[in-house]
Amino acid sequence: MSASTVQHQPPHDPTSGWQDVVVQRLRERASWPALTAAVLLYTLSSVRAYAKERTGIDNAVVVRAAHTLLEGGSPYADKRFLYLPGAVFAALPQTLLSRRVLFYAVPPVTGALVALGVVLALRIFDVRADSRLAVVALVGTALFVPFQSLVFLGNWTAASVVALPAALLLARRGRWSGAGMVVGAAVALKPMLVPVLLLFVLARRWRALGWAVGLPAALSLAASWAMPRPGLFFTRTLPFLLHGQDSYARPYDSAWPSVLPRLGLPHTLAFLLAAAAGAAVLSFARLRWRAGGEEGLRLVECASLLMLAAFVVSRPAFLNYALVVVPSLAASVVERGAAARSVWFWMPLVPQVGGVPWPGLDTAQRHAFRDAVMYGGLAVVLALAARRRAGRSAEEEAGRGLVTLRNGDYSLCREVQPGATSE
């Protein structure tokens, strides 16, 4: 009787061959005309806000809070200022600039920050910044409605757009403490990346978690000590934020507790459904982490699931928040098994491309329904991909240490103990 060892192989994917060819082409350096055209289109999309009478509306809220601080008042007297105390001091340099300068400066600066986030997302997967994929990413971002919204508003979400891929890149390279510092600094400006703290818990990187929690806590305490009446954050700002702000902002909120009541569901039922959906997405994030695989892909998909869970439940969840997760997810298309290689990943994003109509949902007040479909669709696609990957990981684990024994026309498999040999 003879024996031969059988190496366990994942199921063959007939589409992986041509996908790998396309990915190889995307990784290659783009021509200078293509790069120039992409940068030009991106720049024009960044400054299209000049056609409006006002730009940087959200940034102006933070600058106004900084002016209030300089005048001896409390920034939290303005109910529209929803940031942590550190953001006030970060905005102080802008108080030296006139409104006219800020009108022209905020959109391109915001666009530059998003472009930096796109480049960092590509670097997670070792894709060069002058590659064909970078050209596609810049063009796609320029046409992406959340990007156009972000540059028009000058929202400080742009800091998180840079911070998340930067932190994931550092984590992929084993520099977890640095990743924690980046997340902590971003949270100190705007607490959007708080869900990413669970990534450090899943990875059991307690020192990095300490940096991510301790840095914004220390900066906020120091900043609050230097401003009058910081307690207004807890008595006025936080309740205003937890209740989904007011009638002015609520129509733009795509979180389930805001969207579902507009469809006729009671608020309590809407919150319960949102909480159940958020808990389910969190469970898939844990499943995705445990499934392993290529480290960059695991980090991106797990962190994105954590953020999407928050977008489903927490209020508010605005359109421009998509830029926090979409660039890294789109860049993951170069990795085998990535959710971004599925056509279903792109389906919720297509209606968010400028010029693609969605009858009845094109108005600013109804756009939140389209945004809810985007966030929910991405969460479902990533959850199903996590489940498939976990199943493959289980099969691979079960297939380790098996040999095939052949005798005539019969064959069987038996488990080989570590160190054992076949004869």
Side-chain angles (χ1 to χ4, degrees), residues 177-206:
S177 293
M181 294 178 191
V182 170
V183 171
V187 169
L189 294 178
K190 184 174 183 177
M192 174 170 286
L193 296 186
V194 168
V196 179
L197 299 179
L198 293 176
L199 182 66
F200 300 117
V201 176
L202 291 172
R204 299 182 182 276
R205 300 288 180 168
W206 310 118

PDB file of all heavy atoms in Angstrom, residues 177-206:
ATOM      1  N   SER A 177       0.777  50.618  18.169  1.00  0.00           N
ATOM      2  CA  SER A 177       0.735  51.805  19.027  1.00  0.00           C
ATOM      3  C   SER A 177       0.580  53.068  18.193  1.00  0.00           C
ATOM      4  O   SER A 177      -0.168  53.990  18.555  1.00  0.00           O
ATOM      5  CB  SER A 177       1.996  51.882  19.885  1.00  0.00           C
ATOM      6  OG  SER A 177       2.029  50.832  20.826  1.00  0.00           O
ATOM      7  N   GLY A 178       1.286  53.121  17.073  1.00  0.00           N
ATOM      8  CA  GLY A 178       1.124  54.255  16.174  1.00  0.00           C
ATOM      9  C   GLY A 178      -0.297  54.351  15.639  1.00  0.00           C
ATOM     10  O   GLY A 178      -0.855  55.442  15.517  1.00  0.00           O
ATOM     11  N   ALA A 179      -0.890  53.190  15.327  1.00  0.00           N
ATOM     12  CA  ALA A 179      -2.283  53.182  14.874  1.00  0.00           C
ATOM     13  C   ALA A 179      -3.207  53.724  15.958  1.00  0.00           C
ATOM     14  O   ALA A 179      -4.143  54.485  15.675  1.00  0.00           O
ATOM     15  CB  ALA A 179      -2.689  51.767  14.477  1.00  0.00           C
ATOM     16  N   GLY A 180      -2.946  53.348  17.205  1.00  0.00           N
ATOM     17  CA  GLY A 180      -3.754  53.842  18.302  1.00  0.00           C
ATOM     18  C   GLY A 180      -3.629  55.347  18.463  1.00  0.00           C
ATOM     19  O   GLY A 180      -4.617  56.041  18.736  1.00  0.00           O
ATOM     20  N   MET A 181      -2.417  55.875  18.276  1.00  0.00           N
ATOM     21  CA  MET A 181      -2.218  57.326  18.365  1.00  0.00           C
ATOM     22  C   MET A 181      -2.981  58.057  17.270  1.00  0.00           C
ATOM     23  O   MET A 181      -3.586  59.103  17.515  1.00  0.00           O
ATOM     24  CB  MET A 181      -0.726  57.651  18.271  1.00  0.00           C
ATOM     25  CG  MET A 181       0.102  57.155  19.426  1.00  0.00           C
ATOM     26  SD  MET A 181       1.862  57.550  19.184  1.00  0.00           S
ATOM     27  CE  MET A 181       2.600  56.563  20.485  1.00  0.00           C
ATOM     28  N   VAL A 182      -2.951  57.520  16.060  1.00  0.00           N
ATOM     29  CA  VAL A 182      -3.653  58.161  14.946  1.00  0.00           C
ATOM     30  C   VAL A 182      -5.152  58.182  15.209  1.00  0.00           C
ATOM     31  O   VAL A 182      -5.819  59.209  15.026  1.00  0.00           O
ATOM     32  CB  VAL A 182      -3.336  57.438  13.626  1.00  0.00           C
ATOM     33  CG1 VAL A 182      -4.243  57.935  12.510  1.00  0.00           C
ATOM     34  CG2 VAL A 182      -1.879  57.644  13.242  1.00  0.00           C
ATOM     35  N   VAL A 183      -5.701  57.050  15.635  1.00  0.00           N
ATOM     36  CA  VAL A 183      -7.131  56.989  15.934  1.00  0.00           C
ATOM     37  C   VAL A 183      -7.472  57.940  17.076  1.00  0.00           C
ATOM     38  O   VAL A 183      -8.483  58.661  17.036  1.00  0.00           O
ATOM     39  CB  VAL A 183      -7.559  55.549  16.265  1.00  0.00           C
ATOM     40  CG1 VAL A 183      -8.989  55.513  16.799  1.00  0.00           C
ATOM     41  CG2 VAL A 183      -7.435  54.662  15.034  1.00  0.00           C
ATOM     42  N   GLY A 184      -6.630  57.969  18.110  1.00  0.00           N
ATOM     43  CA  GLY A 184      -6.875  58.857  19.237  1.00  0.00           C
ATOM     44  C   GLY A 184      -6.869  60.317  18.838  1.00  0.00           C
ATOM     45  O   GLY A 184      -7.716  61.101  19.283  1.00  0.00           O
ATOM     46  N   ALA A 185      -5.917  60.709  17.984  1.00  0.00           N
ATOM     47  CA  ALA A 185      -5.862  62.099  17.524  1.00  0.00           C
ATOM     48  C   ALA A 185      -7.100  62.454  16.713  1.00  0.00           C
ATOM     49  O   ALA A 185      -7.645  63.561  16.834  1.00  0.00           O
ATOM     50  CB  ALA A 185      -4.598  62.317  16.703  1.00  0.00           C
ATOM     51  N   ALA A 186      -7.564  61.519  15.876  1.00  0.00           N
ATOM     52  CA  ALA A 186      -8.760  61.778  15.078  1.00  0.00           C
ATOM     53  C   ALA A 186      -9.994  61.904  15.965  1.00  0.00           C
ATOM     54  O   ALA A 186     -10.848  62.770  15.737  1.00  0.00           O
ATOM     55  CB  ALA A 186      -8.960  60.664  14.054  1.00  0.00           C
ATOM     56  N   VAL A 187     -10.092  61.065  16.983  1.00  0.00           N
ATOM     57  CA  VAL A 187     -11.237  61.119  17.894  1.00  0.00           C
ATOM     58  C   VAL A 187     -11.231  62.441  18.663  1.00  0.00           C
ATOM     59  O   VAL A 187     -12.289  63.011  18.951  1.00  0.00           O
ATOM     60  CB  VAL A 187     -11.217  59.917  18.855  1.00  0.00           C
ATOM     61  CG1 VAL A 187     -12.249  60.095  19.976  1.00  0.00           C
ATOM     62  CG2 VAL A 187     -11.491  58.631  18.090  1.00  0.00           C
ATOM     63  N   ALA A 188     -10.038  62.943  18.987  1.00  0.00           N
ATOM     64  CA  ALA A 188      -9.956  64.219  19.702  1.00  0.00           C
ATOM     65  C   ALA A 188     -10.533  65.365  18.877  1.00  0.00           C
ATOM     66  O   ALA A 188     -11.047  66.338  19.432  1.00  0.00           O
ATOM     67  CB  ALA A 188      -8.500  64.518  20.069  1.00  0.00           C
ATOM     68  N   LEU A 189     -10.449  65.260  17.544  1.00  0.00           N
ATOM     69  CA  LEU A 189     -11.024  66.284  16.674  1.00  0.00           C
ATOM     70  C   LEU A 189     -12.518  66.048  16.453  1.00  0.00           C
ATOM     71  O   LEU A 189     -13.320  66.976  16.518  1.00  0.00           O
ATOM     72  CB  LEU A 189     -10.296  66.300  15.328  1.00  0.00           C
ATOM     73  CG  LEU A 189      -8.833  66.737  15.347  1.00  0.00           C
ATOM     74  CD1 LEU A 189      -8.251  66.647  13.954  1.00  0.00           C
ATOM     75  CD2 LEU A 189      -8.705  68.160  15.888  1.00  0.00           C
ATOM     76  N   LYS A 190     -12.861  64.812  16.161  1.00  0.00           N
ATOM     77  CA  LYS A 190     -14.254  64.443  15.929  1.00  0.00           C
ATOM     78  C   LYS A 190     -14.396  62.960  16.269  1.00  0.00           C
ATOM     79  O   LYS A 190     -13.692  62.127  15.688  1.00  0.00           O
ATOM     80  CB  LYS A 190     -14.645  64.694  14.470  1.00  0.00           C
ATOM     81  CG  LYS A 190     -16.110  64.424  14.180  1.00  0.00           C
ATOM     82  CD  LYS A 190     -16.477  64.824  12.759  1.00  0.00           C
ATOM     83  CE  LYS A 190     -17.964  64.616  12.518  1.00  0.00           C
ATOM     84  NZ  LYS A 190     -18.387  65.066  11.169  1.00  0.00           N
ATOM     85  N   PRO A 191     -15.298  62.603  17.195  1.00  0.00           N
ATOM     86  CA  PRO A 191     -15.330  61.223  17.693  1.00  0.00           C
ATOM     87  C   PRO A 191     -15.974  60.220  16.744  1.00  0.00           C
ATOM     88  O   PRO A 191     -16.715  59.336  17.160  1.00  0.00           O
ATOM     89  CB  PRO A 191     -16.146  61.358  18.985  1.00  0.00           C
ATOM     90  CG  PRO A 191     -17.022  62.534  18.765  1.00  0.00           C
ATOM     91  CD  PRO A 191     -16.230  63.490  17.916  1.00  0.00           C
ATOM     92  N   MET A 192     -15.673  60.326  15.469  1.00  0.00           N
ATOM     93  CA  MET A 192     -16.275  59.434  14.490  1.00  0.00           C
ATOM     94  C   MET A 192     -15.684  58.034  14.544  1.00  0.00           C
ATOM     95  O   MET A 192     -16.384  57.039  14.333  1.00  0.00           O
ATOM     96  CB  MET A 192     -16.111  60.006  13.080  1.00  0.00           C
ATOM     97  CG  MET A 192     -16.587  59.079  11.975  1.00  0.00           C
ATOM     98  SD  MET A 192     -16.657  59.885  10.385  1.00  0.00           S
ATOM     99  CE  MET A 192     -18.115  60.883  10.635  1.00  0.00           C
ATOM    100  N   LEU A 193     -14.389  57.921  14.830  1.00  0.00           N
ATOM    101  CA  LEU A 193     -13.711  56.629  14.781  1.00  0.00           C
ATOM    102  C   LEU A 193     -13.784  55.862  16.099  1.00  0.00           C
ATOM    103  O   LEU A 193     -13.054  54.889  16.271  1.00  0.00           O
ATOM    104  CB  LEU A 193     -12.244  56.827  14.387  1.00  0.00           C
ATOM    105  CG  LEU A 193     -11.989  57.390  12.986  1.00  0.00           C
ATOM    106  CD1 LEU A 193     -10.500  57.380  12.683  1.00  0.00           C
ATOM    107  CD2 LEU A 193     -12.745  56.610  11.918  1.00  0.00           C
ATOM    108  N   VAL A 194     -14.671  56.243  16.990  1.00  0.00           N
ATOM    109  CA  VAL A 194     -14.824  55.506  18.251  1.00  0.00           C
ATOM    110  C   VAL A 194     -15.110  54.022  18.023  1.00  0.00           C
ATOM    111  O   VAL A 194     -14.570  53.165  18.742  1.00  0.00           O
ATOM    112  CB  VAL A 194     -15.928  56.151  19.117  1.00  0.00           C
ATOM    113  CG1 VAL A 194     -16.308  55.244  20.277  1.00  0.00           C
ATOM    114  CG2 VAL A 194     -15.449  57.504  19.642  1.00  0.00           C
ATOM    115  N   PRO A 195     -15.937  53.619  17.030  1.00  0.00           N
ATOM    116  CA  PRO A 195     -16.146  52.183  16.814  1.00  0.00           C
ATOM    117  C   PRO A 195     -14.876  51.407  16.507  1.00  0.00           C
ATOM    118  O   PRO A 195     -14.798  50.199  16.772  1.00  0.00           O
ATOM    119  CB  PRO A 195     -17.111  52.146  15.614  1.00  0.00           C
ATOM    120  CG  PRO A 195     -17.827  53.452  15.658  1.00  0.00           C
ATOM    121  CD  PRO A 195     -16.815  54.435  16.155  1.00  0.00           C
ATOM    122  N   VAL A 196     -13.852  52.078  15.950  1.00  0.00           N
ATOM    123  CA  VAL A 196     -12.600  51.387  15.613  1.00  0.00           C
ATOM    124  C   VAL A 196     -11.866  50.932  16.871  1.00  0.00           C
ATOM    125  O   VAL A 196     -10.995  50.060  16.818  1.00  0.00           O
ATOM    126  CB  VAL A 196     -11.713  52.302  14.743  1.00  0.00           C
ATOM    127  CG1 VAL A 196     -10.389  51.632  14.381  1.00  0.00           C
ATOM    128  CG2 VAL A 196     -12.456  52.681  13.460  1.00  0.00           C
ATOM    129  N   LEU A 197     -12.213  51.486  18.026  1.00  0.00           N
ATOM    130  CA  LEU A 197     -11.600  51.032  19.269  1.00  0.00           C
ATOM    131  C   LEU A 197     -11.825  49.535  19.471  1.00  0.00           C
ATOM    132  O   LEU A 197     -10.989  48.836  20.058  1.00  0.00           O
ATOM    133  CB  LEU A 197     -12.172  51.807  20.458  1.00  0.00           C
ATOM    134  CG  LEU A 197     -11.957  53.331  20.456  1.00  0.00           C
ATOM    135  CD1 LEU A 197     -12.598  53.948  21.697  1.00  0.00           C
ATOM    136  CD2 LEU A 197     -10.484  53.671  20.392  1.00  0.00           C
ATOM    137  N   LEU A 198     -12.959  49.023  18.983  1.00  0.00           N
ATOM    138  CA  LEU A 198     -13.230  47.594  19.109  1.00  0.00           C
ATOM    139  C   LEU A 198     -12.261  46.758  18.281  1.00  0.00           C
ATOM    140  O   LEU A 198     -12.048  45.584  18.576  1.00  0.00           O
ATOM    141  CB  LEU A 198     -14.665  47.295  18.677  1.00  0.00           C
ATOM    142  CG  LEU A 198     -15.770  47.854  19.577  1.00  0.00           C
ATOM    143  CD1 LEU A 198     -17.142  47.573  18.989  1.00  0.00           C
ATOM    144  CD2 LEU A 198     -15.657  47.251  20.972  1.00  0.00           C
ATOM    145  N   LEU A 199     -11.679  47.354  17.250  1.00  0.00           N
ATOM    146  CA  LEU A 199     -10.674  46.625  16.466  1.00  0.00           C
ATOM    147  C   LEU A 199      -9.463  46.290  17.322  1.00  0.00           C
ATOM    148  O   LEU A 199      -8.904  45.187  17.235  1.00  0.00           O
ATOM    149  CB  LEU A 199     -10.256  47.459  15.259  1.00  0.00           C
ATOM    150  CG  LEU A 199      -9.228  46.813  14.310  1.00  0.00           C
ATOM    151  CD1 LEU A 199      -9.843  45.603  13.622  1.00  0.00           C
ATOM    152  CD2 LEU A 199      -8.761  47.828  13.265  1.00  0.00           C
ATOM    153  N   PHE A 200      -9.047  47.226  18.171  1.00  0.00           N
ATOM    154  CA  PHE A 200      -7.921  46.964  19.074  1.00  0.00           C
ATOM    155  C   PHE A 200      -8.288  45.898  20.104  1.00  0.00           C
ATOM    156  O   PHE A 200      -7.435  45.125  20.533  1.00  0.00           O
ATOM    157  CB  PHE A 200      -7.501  48.258  19.769  1.00  0.00           C
ATOM    158  CG  PHE A 200      -7.065  49.338  18.822  1.00  0.00           C
ATOM    159  CD1 PHE A 200      -7.765  50.533  18.739  1.00  0.00           C
ATOM    160  CD2 PHE A 200      -5.962  49.173  18.007  1.00  0.00           C
ATOM    161  CE1 PHE A 200      -7.372  51.533  17.876  1.00  0.00           C
ATOM    162  CE2 PHE A 200      -5.555  50.169  17.131  1.00  0.00           C
ATOM    163  CZ  PHE A 200      -6.273  51.353  17.059  1.00  0.00           C
ATOM    164  N   VAL A 201      -9.564  45.873  20.491  1.00  0.00           N
ATOM    165  CA  VAL A 201     -10.014  44.833  21.423  1.00  0.00           C
ATOM    166  C   VAL A 201      -9.959  43.464  20.753  1.00  0.00           C
ATOM    167  O   VAL A 201      -9.473  42.488  21.333  1.00  0.00           O
ATOM    168  CB  VAL A 201     -11.432  45.139  21.928  1.00  0.00           C
ATOM    169  CG1 VAL A 201     -11.945  43.998  22.815  1.00  0.00           C
ATOM    170  CG2 VAL A 201     -11.451  46.461  22.695  1.00  0.00           C
ATOM    171  N   LEU A 202     -10.468  43.372  19.530  1.00  0.00           N
ATOM    172  CA  LEU A 202     -10.446  42.098  18.810  1.00  0.00           C
ATOM    173  C   LEU A 202      -9.021  41.616  18.582  1.00  0.00           C
ATOM    174  O   LEU A 202      -8.740  40.411  18.650  1.00  0.00           O
ATOM    175  CB  LEU A 202     -11.166  42.254  17.466  1.00  0.00           C
ATOM    176  CG  LEU A 202     -12.677  42.467  17.522  1.00  0.00           C
ATOM    177  CD1 LEU A 202     -13.227  42.790  16.139  1.00  0.00           C
ATOM    178  CD2 LEU A 202     -13.378  41.236  18.086  1.00  0.00           C
ATOM    179  N   ALA A 203      -8.112  42.548  18.313  1.00  0.00           N
ATOM    180  CA  ALA A 203      -6.711  42.190  18.070  1.00  0.00           C
ATOM    181  C   ALA A 203      -5.926  42.003  19.362  1.00  0.00           C
ATOM    182  O   ALA A 203      -4.759  41.612  19.318  1.00  0.00           O
ATOM    183  CB  ALA A 203      -6.043  43.259  17.217  1.00  0.00           C
ATOM    184  N   ARG A 204      -6.560  42.311  20.506  1.00  0.00           N
ATOM    185  CA  ARG A 204      -5.901  42.215  21.812  1.00  0.00           C
ATOM    186  C   ARG A 204      -4.638  43.089  21.860  1.00  0.00           C
ATOM    187  O   ARG A 204      -3.603  42.692  22.400  1.00  0.00           O
ATOM    188  CB  ARG A 204      -5.572  40.764  22.168  1.00  0.00           C
ATOM    189  CG  ARG A 204      -6.816  39.880  22.251  1.00  0.00           C
ATOM    190  CD  ARG A 204      -6.460  38.463  22.657  1.00  0.00           C
ATOM    191  NE  ARG A 204      -7.632  37.623  22.682  1.00  0.00           N
ATOM    192  CZ  ARG A 204      -8.476  37.520  23.717  1.00  0.00           C
ATOM    193  NH1 ARG A 204      -8.236  38.211  24.814  1.00  0.00           N
ATOM    194  NH2 ARG A 204      -9.527  36.724  23.655  1.00  0.00           N
ATOM    195  N   ARG A 205      -4.755  44.270  21.313  1.00  0.00           N
ATOM    196  CA  ARG A 205      -3.657  45.243  21.332  1.00  0.00           C
ATOM    197  C   ARG A 205      -3.998  46.298  22.374  1.00  0.00           C
ATOM    198  O   ARG A 205      -4.508  47.377  22.076  1.00  0.00           O
ATOM    199  CB  ARG A 205      -3.490  45.872  19.943  1.00  0.00           C
ATOM    200  CG  ARG A 205      -3.170  44.868  18.856  1.00  0.00           C
ATOM    201  CD  ARG A 205      -1.753  44.347  19.003  1.00  0.00           C
ATOM    202  NE  ARG A 205      -1.415  43.384  17.964  1.00  0.00           N
ATOM    203  CZ  ARG A 205      -0.184  42.945  17.709  1.00  0.00           C
ATOM    204  NH1 ARG A 205       0.829  43.415  18.432  1.00  0.00           N
ATOM    205  NH2 ARG A 205       0.046  42.075  16.760  1.00  0.00           N
ATOM    206  N   TRP A 206      -3.710  45.965  23.631  1.00  0.00           N
ATOM    207  CA  TRP A 206      -4.160  46.799  24.738  1.00  0.00           C
ATOM    208  C   TRP A 206      -3.380  48.103  24.838  1.00  0.00           C
ATOM    209  O   TRP A 206      -3.943  49.130  25.227  1.00  0.00           O
ATOM    210  CB  TRP A 206      -4.075  46.000  26.034  1.00  0.00           C
ATOM    211  CG  TRP A 206      -4.733  44.660  25.929  1.00  0.00           C
ATOM    212  CD1 TRP A 206      -4.141  43.439  26.059  1.00  0.00           C
ATOM    213  CD2 TRP A 206      -6.121  44.399  25.650  1.00  0.00           C
ATOM    214  NE1 TRP A 206      -5.064  42.433  25.876  1.00  0.00           N
ATOM    215  CE2 TRP A 206      -6.283  42.989  25.634  1.00  0.00           C
ATOM    216  CE3 TRP A 206      -7.231  45.209  25.408  1.00  0.00           C
ATOM    217  CZ2 TRP A 206      -7.509  42.389  25.381  1.00  0.00           C
ATOM    218  CZ3 TRP A 206      -8.456  44.617  25.156  1.00  0.00           C
ATOM    219  CH2 TRP A 206      -8.589  43.225  25.145  1.00  0.00           C
TER     220      TRP A 206
END
